[in-house]
Amino acid sequence: MEISSHQFHLLQQLNEQRRQDLFCDCNILVEGKVFKAHRNVLFASSGYFKMLLSQSSKETTQPTTATFQAFSPDTFTVILDFVYSGKLSLTGQNVIEVMSAASYLQMTDVISVCKTFIKSSLDISEKEKDRYFSLSDKDVNSNGVDRSCLYSSVWRAESSPPRSHLSPDQGTCMMGGNTWSNFSYYPPSQRNAQQQLSKHEQRQDSVKKSRHLGLQQPSDIPHYKSSKLEDRAAEPAGHIAQSEEQVQIETEVESPHVGYPYGQGSDVIPRSLAVMRFKCPFCTHVVKRKADLKRHLRCHTGERPYPCEACGKRFSRLDHLSSHFRTIHQACKPICRKCKRHVTELTGQVVQEGTRRYRLCNECLAEAGIDSIRIDLEAEAPLEFPQDGDKDSRWHYGEDNRSDVEIVEDGSTDLVIQQVDDSEDEADEKEVKPNIR
DNA sequence: CTGGGGATGGGGCCC
DNA sequence: CGGGCCCCATCCCCA
């Protein structure tokens, strides 16, 4: 016989103990603010704490102290409240930082909820599309409602992700009911993801400075990486409040009837004259297509679903990966890297340096004195790309093999020269990179 | 220190 | 809607 409310009451009791500082054996210091919690609970909720606490002293009589600078006390409050209640208080303003912190703490369920929160920003119902939304600050804010959403723990696989919070007519939304309020354990797939995050955590120390891998550390996520994004991040809070609206559809009149003011008379605008636009909830960017917004959002979330199997570098877009692979690993350009002259299969050769390939003309090869290196294609490890299908399950922030790559690429001992043979190269491309067209 | 080139990343848009 | 191409901006490296 199972008492369904037991888990809930147990968690409630633990939360009560935390509030009263009873049996708390772990101090968490976040930017000077001290949080008290139970080792057991933290251990069970976070891969980071699991590692930390299992590595820390076996002496259990002394309270453990953990210090964080990567996120704010407010963010950790949201995380800790979730740990002790199963409820995650997400808003358009805090979701990025909460996801960043969850990534740092290896809390895959929280990451999933944050991802869904962001992704669901794109899910605009047909009904809503038929409506006219004003973009003015006045209208956005005039609802006078708190748009924060409370997610209760991990939803079950068969449950739909939350969408209701998108409606501008709705305010606070509580994901209640059995499906949402039951506390769940990590499903096996999430455990795998957690292990990957764990690996990432171990790699953090070797993170390089390269700006191209700007989202290396979880803490970087809310800070963005390009100057453009930094500018956006530095925008005043007023703007954030405006863009807090998850996704707005802007109806733009492209006819001579440009005099329609926002917020009134919209229902008389013929649909044929209206252009749907999608506004990013995190910046001022507006795109015409939902797919473009989805792509754009990756620059906020740091999602890099396309890993290069040759070097491990991850890309946010397939075409960037494709371009990278062609340029770096396939030596597609028939140009001598040194003298920039056009080379053919007769006048040049492909040089392989680690996983990097480029072409050199015969003269430059002779000059460099590397023409004597024996080609050993049999021994050469093939560059293989993964098949499609795992991209979504594999992305996470800061996953970075760059340090390994640089070691490989800098190794002059890996220098291999191949005969230039475009036909062979194309065959190689098909074999090596099945997911790149 | 500076300019050029390469690599990368983001947006627009076509297929 | 995803894939892919083109364009452009930015950053980094190197001569």
Side-chain angles (χ1 to χ4, degrees), chain A residues 103-122:
Chain A
S103 175
Y104 193 99
L105 297 171
Q106 301 166 41
M107 299 172 73
T108 51
D109 47 354
V110 177
I111 296 170
S112 299
V113 171
C114 291
K115 278 171 67 181
T116 304
F117 186 94
I118 294 167
K119 281 180 180 173
S120 63
S121 301
L122 304 175

Side-chain angles (χ1 to χ4, degrees), chain A residues 349-399:
Chain A
Q349 292 182 341
V350 171
V351 174
Q352 176 141 350
E353 205 177 340
T355 59
R356 187 180 281 254
R357 289 182 187 181
Y358 51 87
R359 296 180 189 234
L360 288 180
C361 65
N362 291 331
E363 289 81 3
C364 291
L365 271 173
E367 260 184 48
I370 52 178
D371 53 346
S372 60
I373 294 178
R374 195 168 58 85
I375 303 166
D376 190 2
L377 290 174
E378 293 294 321
E380 184 189 351
L383 302 173
E384 288 185 2
F385 266 67
Q387 299 294 327
D388 285 342
D390 64 340
K391 64 185 178 73
D392 284 338
S393 62
R394 290 169 37 140
W395 77 269
H396 43 269
Y397 312 110
E399 172 69 9

Side-chain angles (χ1 to χ4, degrees), chain A residues 300-311:
Chain A
H300 294 301
T301 63
E303 184 180 8
R304 290 168 180 270
Y306 304 102
C308 173
E309 276 301 300
C311 67

Side-chain angles (χ1 to χ4, degrees), chain A residues 119 122 287 289-298:
Chain A
K119 281 180 180 173
L122 304 175
V287 295
R289 295 179 43 201
K290 187 176 168 182
D292 284 339
L293 179 58
K294 187 177 180 181
R295 187 179 72 174
H296 165 78
L297 276 177
R298 286 195 192 130

Side-chain angles (χ1 to χ4, degrees), chain A residues 26-30 33-37 42 49 66 68 76 80:
Chain A
C26 190
N27 297 327
I28 303 107
L29 192 61
V30 183
K33 186 173 178 182
V34 180
F35 295 84
K36 292 189 177 285
L42 296 175
F49 280 109
F68 296 106
F76 190 69
L80 200 58

Side-chain angles (χ1 to χ4, degrees), chain A residues 243-310:
Chain A
S243 57
E244 182 183 347
E245 185 67 24
Q246 290 310 304
V247 166
Q248 299 166 8
I249 304 175
E250 179 178 351
T251 310
E252 188 176 275
V253 180
E254 287 194 333
S255 72
H257 308 283
V258 290
Y260 289 110
Y262 282 116
Q264 52 178 293
S266 58
D267 50 344
V268 300
I269 298 175
R271 279 189 65 84
S272 60
L273 295 176
V275 175
M276 308 303 283
R277 295 210 168 186
F278 297 89
K279 186 184 177 305
C280 174
F282 303 110
C283 69
T284 56
H285 187 58
V286 177
V287 295
K288 291 176 182 172
R289 295 179 43 201
K290 187 176 168 182
D292 284 339
L293 179 58
K294 187 177 180 181
R295 187 179 72 174
H296 165 78
L297 276 177
R298 286 195 192 130
C299 76
H300 294 301
T301 63
E303 184 180 8
R304 290 168 180 270
Y306 304 102
C308 173
E309 276 301 300

Side-chain angles (χ1 to χ4, degrees), chain A residues 307-363:
Chain A
C308 173
E309 276 301 300
C311 67
K313 185 166 168 51
R314 304 181 76 94
F315 294 86
S316 60
R317 284 163 47 174
L318 186 59
D319 55 328
H320 287 165
L321 168 62
S322 176
S323 170
H324 159 84
F325 193 85
R326 280 195 298 264
T327 308
I328 303 299
H329 304 302
Q330 287 193 319
C332 281
K333 287 182 187 172
I335 305 290
C336 173
R337 194 196 192 196
K338 210 169 179 187
C339 66
K340 312 298 177 191
R341 281 187 298 179
H342 184 87
V343 293
T344 66
E345 54 200 75
L346 293 174
T347 62
Q349 292 182 341
V350 171
V351 174
Q352 176 141 350
E353 205 177 340
T355 59
R356 187 180 281 254
R357 289 182 187 181
Y358 51 87
R359 296 180 189 234
L360 288 180
C361 65
N362 291 331
E363 289 81 3

Side-chain angles (χ1 to χ4, degrees), chain A residues 209-216 225 304 313 402:
Chain A
K209 57 170 180 162
S210 169
R211 76 135 194 140
H212 299 305
L213 300 164
L215 294 169
Q216 306 295 351
K225 59 186 185 306
R304 290 168 180 270
K313 185 166 168 51
R402 182 75 173 197

